[in-house]
Amino acid sequence: MGIAITSLPLSVSQQKHLKIKPNTNSNYSKTNNTYLLIQCCHSQTDPIDSLTNNNGHTRFPEKNPLINPLLASKVGAVPPRPRRIILVRHGESEGNVDESVYTRVPDPKIGLTNRGRVQAEECGQRIKNMIEKDSDENWQLYFYVSPYRRTLETLQSLARPFERSRIAGFREEPRIREQDFGNFQNRELMKVEKAQRHLYGRFFYRFPNGESAADVYDRITGFRETLRADINIGRYQPPGEKNFDVNLVIVSHGLTLRVFLMRWYKWTVEQFEGLNNFGNGGELVMEKGYGGRYSLSMHHDEQELRQFGLTDEMLIDQEWHKFAKPADLNYDCPMVNSFFPHLHEEANRSQQKG
């Protein structure tokens, strides 16, 4: 642990907030109205200094408007949200073609087939065409990828159509890995387990030595909070710049991506269990709507979303997301009437009278 000395220009309001009063014993400079704050350099496990209350910017000084003069005039400004969050399922894997592979190869080490690589590159080209169709010339991509071999290989092939200048960065994210089905799988026993899951329910059934979809939901919740924090601090923006055409791409697995959507849009367990899987190398696009929220309806038509498994109520909610602002609440959520029987009956009587 070391000592860091930082010269911070402080306004009157900031001085009051920090409860610092200039006196003969302070490190206060009357000539430039600054304080020299002497702070410990924290390790990753140390708590962030509450004195600066800077929401984690201590470790990212280029993002801190109190330290970076390029951002000093923009204190309080909210970075632009990414234009899209694009969900991609890995291409065809060796396990998709031959399930016996799971009995001898660890799931995280199963790679793509040649067809899977082609699917991934075609997906990348579709994404490129979509972005170029309605974006300015400064668009970029930032990737989150599961650490499994088949997703890493998918990203490598998917990124082929993109020049280096288009790739803002990537992060390997273990929390978006595949549902854990146990270690080496017994093929016959797995057939029995999957049949039991069908009877028990896809969301709550936990595989022996593995996970349930509910377990995946818990770790996806943590990832979602990280994602939101990254968006809010403008992690994808170069210091001092505002790029309105950043697109996030999450390369993961079928169930994991469905759970991510469930968590993001607050879908119920019943709604989750009605969803269909992505195709290998397939994508689903959450695009920023007119009010700033992300909606599937901005890019996909009703037929596509119904094929994915969205119900009438879910489609209505996506239309709301299309126009709502990030801080808005949907007070007319159709789920309320359908969940409470007495409200559903009242709505039916009103329709009959009308």
Side-chain angles (χ1 to χ4, degrees):
M1 180 179 294
I3 299 296
I5 302 178
T6 306
S7 177
L8 301 181
L10 300 179
S11 65
V12 175
S13 62
Q14 288 173 323
Q15 294 173 32
K16 291 180 178 179
H17 174 70
L18 295 178
K19 298 180 180 179
I20 298 176
K21 295 181 180 180
N23 55 56
T24 56
N25 296 324
S26 71
N27 292 314
Y28 174 71
S29 172
K30 293 183 179 180
T31 58
N32 58 10
N33 194 33
T34 62
Y35 282 91
L36 294 179
L37 300 183
I38 302 177
Q39 299 173 293
C40 294
C41 296
H42 294 288
S43 68
Q44 292 293 323
T45 57
D46 289 335
I48 297 173
D49 190 347
S50 60
L51 181 63
T52 56
N53 191 24
N54 58 15
N55 194 29
H57 289 145
T58 299
R59 296 177 188 146
F60 303 98
E62 72 279 4
K63 299 292 186 182
N64 192 336
L66 292 177
I67 297 175
N68 187 345
L70 292 175
L71 301 181
S73 62
K74 303 178 181 179
V75 175
V78 178
R81 307 184 94 199
R83 176 74 178 276
R84 301 175 184 87
I85 301 175
I86 304 169
L87 310 181
V88 175
R89 185 189 175 198
H90 62 80
E92 180 186 79
S93 73
E94 296 166 348
N96 294 136
V97 175
D98 179 10
E99 290 188 355
S100 68
V101 171
Y102 293 105
T103 66
R104 58 182 184 274
V105 180
D107 195 7
K109 295 183 179 180
I110 294 176
L112 295 182
T113 63
N114 290 332
R115 183 185 179 199
R117 294 184 180 89
V118 172
Q119 289 172 335
E121 188 167 348
E122 290 175 346
C123 178
Q125 189 61 54
R126 288 195 302 272
I127 291 173
K128 183 179 180 181
N129 294 342
M130 173 185 64
I131 296 174
E132 288 182 335
K133 186 177 179 180
D134 62 350
S135 295
D136 66 29
E137 60 182 17
N138 296 320
W139 59 269
Q140 285 189 308
L141 296 160
Y142 188 95
F143 300 98
Y144 292 89
V145 60
S146 158
Y148 279 37
R149 179 181 169 186
R150 54 186 176 272
T151 42
L152 295 172
E153 290 179 350
T154 294
L155 177 54
Q156 290 172 339
S157 295
L158 182 151
R160 283 185 175 277
F162 303 103
E163 299 173 356
R164 175 63 184 88
S165 61
R166 298 300 187 186
I167 301 175
F170 84 101
R171 182 188 304 173
E172 185 177 286
E173 177 51 76
R175 288 173 294 183
I176 60 173
R177 68 188 183 274
E178 174 67 288
Q179 178 184 6
D180 190 349
F181 296 100
N183 297 318
F184 291 103
Q185 298 174 19
N186 182 305
R187 192 174 182 182
E188 296 304 317
L189 183 59
M190 184 56 64
K191 290 180 180 179
V192 175
E193 296 291 346
K194 288 184 176 180
Q196 289 182 345
R197 178 178 65 170
H198 180 73
L199 294 174
Y200 194 88
R202 283 195 297 166
F203 188 74
F204 291 111
Y205 183 82
R206 179 180 286 118
F207 287 87
N209 301 315
E211 291 181 304
S212 66
D215 296 322
V216 178
Y217 185 97
D218 291 341
R219 54 179 164 87
I220 284 296
T221 295
F223 168 68
R224 175 180 177 270
E225 294 310 307
T226 297
L227 184 64
R228 291 182 63 182
D230 286 350
I231 290 173
N232 290 338
I233 69 172
R235 186 179 298 281
Y236 321 107
Q237 307 291 336
E241 296 183 17
K242 282 190 175 183
N243 186 347
F244 289 88
D245 265 319
V246 173
N247 298 267
L248 305 185
V249 181
I250 300 175
V251 183
S252 185
H253 310 262
L255 180 135
T256 306
L257 293 174
R258 299 198 304 277
V259 169
F260 175 85
L261 287 165
M262 175 192 183
R263 180 63 184 87
W264 189 279
Y265 291 117
K266 301 177 178 62
W267 291 340
T268 66
V269 171
E270 182 180 1
Q271 288 170 331
F272 165 80
E273 293 188 335
L275 297 176
N276 297 310
N277 202 1
F278 289 50
N280 288 120
E283 74 275 3
L284 203 65
V285 180
M286 302 164 59
E287 186 167 336
K288 189 166 61 176
Y290 304 109
R293 279 181 174 264
Y294 293 99
S295 171
L296 298 172
S297 296
M298 288 294 296
H299 180 79
H300 301 281
D301 60 31
E302 179 181 334
Q303 182 179 356
E304 289 177 308
L305 295 178
R306 286 193 183 278
Q307 288 176 347
F308 181 56
L310 268 66
T311 63
D312 289 342
E313 293 169 340
M314 297 162 79
L315 289 170
I316 293 171
D317 187 54
Q318 288 302 310
E319 284 297 313
W320 177 83
H321 280 275
K322 202 178 199 179
F323 298 94
K325 297 178 181 179
D328 288 350
L329 291 175
N330 188 359
Y331 291 101
D332 296 320
C333 177
M335 281 295 296
V336 175
N337 283 353
S338 63
F339 179 79
F340 295 102
H342 70 288
L343 296 179
H344 185 62
E345 293 167 2
E346 288 178 7
N348 287 337
R349 284 197 295 267
S350 297
Q351 290 178 355
Q352 290 173 359
K353 290 179 181 179

